[in-house]
Amino acid sequence: MPPDPGFELKPTSTPMPAADRVARMADLGFGRVFTEHMVTIRYRAPDGWGRGLLSPYAPILLDPAASVLHYGQAIFEGFKAYRQPDGGIATFRPAANGQRFNNSAARLAMPALPIERFVEAADLLIRQERDWVPPNVGESLYLRPLMIATEAALGVRPAKEYLFLLFGSPSGSYFTHGVKPLTVWLSKEYSRAAPGGTGEAKCAGNYAASLIAQQQALDAGCQQVVWLDSVHKRFVEEMGGMNLFFVYKDGATSRIVTPKLTGTLLPGITRDSLLTIAEDLGYTSGEGMISIEDWARDVENGTLSEVFACGTAAVITPVGEVRFNGGGWLVNDGQTGPVAQHLRDALLAVQHGTTPDAHHFMHRVL
Ligand SMILES: *Cc1c(COP(=O)(O)O)cnc(C)c1O
């Protein structure tokens, strides 16, 4: 192992006046406001990763032949830093994001970044941008790490040069209408992922391929698209960029079930965390194969009480109605259910440090 080349710090010499920052943080939404710095690390074969740099947030220069622009080697992550009750700041499971980043990199024949450097890059940015972490529950500093192939070469092969980049965006709630249940569109025409494809990787191309179906969902009066497996077009996989949970009555309690990771689903860290947290709260949890026929029948016979989506950006969002070409049904009469609300509150309490962190999910930064 070469010695850790560390990070060089070159912060802006003209920091934003506090009043300007406060004004920009007045109406956050999601992904519209960016902080003043970013972290970059360059990779070059055969030397490996170089020294990192914290510098002012700015556009990046790319050669027109940079292979990301042609062959799409591009991956990303998303996780959040939360204000804690004592005024400090902590991130939620950043090493899990670092591990998934490397899994995505491997699938796209890109180099792995040591997880400690991934976490260190985020800690460095957060310490620099501490005033950009908003104070209220449900608000956070969203962190967006990404890696692109920068080598100028048109031959089709894995690039020899890459750029890791990390920046932050203070965020309020992801969906502008709050936790109101969503109406979702079952996409039978398009697939997000196929066996042997890139469905498990958080790569930019998966999103590019999904946008047309998301547009169809909007055209049909829905807010989000629900993906089915591409082979049988029956088994529910995900909703947009979020994983799904189905809530079934289970004696005096409820059982939450999420579609099994078959290789075509993105293994969400929120999904994984909820499987654990739900058990702490007295629910049972597990994975399963859920078809659209099961979904319709179990709503009809009353055994399926709620459906919700989960992900870093929007935490937990209930699904209130399902539509597809030729039909549809309501879930829980279109209302937010008690289990979705309970799990959402419990997860936010861990993230904001107002309940004990039994599973050591939080990483203290400041
Ligand atoms: C990122 C993502 C998720 C959610 O993952 P989290 O780690 O919970 O944020 C789910 N599905 C897709 C397609 C994603 O890209």
Side-chain angles (χ1 to χ4, degrees), residues 95-313:
N97 291 89
Q99 180 61 58
R100 188 172 66 190
F101 192 66
N102 284 343
N103 296 347
S104 301
R107 178 62 184 83
L108 271 74
M110 300 166 88
L113 178 71
I115 294 174
E116 315 78 69
R117 291 205 87 195
F118 179 97
V119 174
E120 202 185 334
D123 290 358
L124 204 66
L125 185 73
I126 293 161
R127 284 197 289 268
Q128 178 70 40
E129 310 290 44
R130 62 184 73 187
D131 294 335
W132 286 94
V133 180
N136 301 311
V137 170
E139 298 177 337
S140 58
L141 179 64
Y142 181 81
L143 297 153
R144 172 52 64 91
L146 61 122
M147 191 198 327
I148 56 173
T150 51
E151 187 192 2
L154 295 183
V156 180
R157 56 162 174 75
K160 294 191 171 79
E161 291 168 24
Y162 296 88
L163 172 68
F164 168 84
L165 207 158
L166 168 73
F167 61 93
S169 173
S171 71
S173 85
Y174 184 76
F175 291 113
T176 43
H177 60 285
V179 284
K180 273 222 308 277
L182 301 174
T183 300
V184 299
W185 174 252
L186 290 184
S187 182
K188 296 193 176 178
E189 186 176 353
Y190 298 107
S191 300
R192 192 190 80 91
T198 56
E200 254 178 346
K202 214 166 170 75
C203 63
N206 286 349
Y207 274 77
S210 77
L211 298 176
I212 189 171
Q214 175 63 23
Q215 190 56 53
Q216 281 192 337
L218 293 177
D219 293 344
C222 301
Q223 290 96 35
Q224 287 286 319
V225 59
V226 163
W227 299 105
L228 304 176
D229 80 284
S230 63
V231 176
H232 308 94
K233 295 270 184 192
R234 283 183 59 211
F235 295 104
V236 177
E237 295 202 324
E238 300 190 57
M239 183 196 87
M242 302 175 77
N243 295 110
L244 285 167
F245 274 95
F246 294 75
V247 183
Y248 297 94
K249 297 191 176 118
D250 185 9
T253 181
S254 293
R255 175 168 181 76
I256 67 165
V257 180
T258 188
K260 203 174 143 195
L261 300 177
T262 56
T264 50
L265 280 77
L266 199 288
I269 292 160
T270 316
R271 172 192 182 279
D272 182 72
S273 308
L274 287 175
L275 285 170
T276 301
I277 288 176
E279 299 268 341
D280 298 347
L281 299 178
Y283 302 110
T284 56
S285 67
E287 301 178 315
M289 300 293 286
I290 297 152
S291 69
I292 43 178
E293 296 85 357
D294 295 338
W295 189 347
R297 184 199 60 224
D298 293 342
V299 162
E300 180 70 31
N301 69 24
T303 52
L304 175 62
S305 53
E306 302 173 39
V307 176
F308 62 84
C310 69
T312 297

Side-chain angles (χ1 to χ4, degrees), residues 26-50:
D27 174 29
L28 287 173
F30 179 80
R32 289 191 277 114
V33 177
F34 305 106
T35 69
E36 296 168 81
H37 297 85
M38 61 188 193
V39 174
T40 50
I41 318 176
R42 290 196 178 267
Y43 176 97
R44 190 183 295 259
D47 308 344
W49 292 101

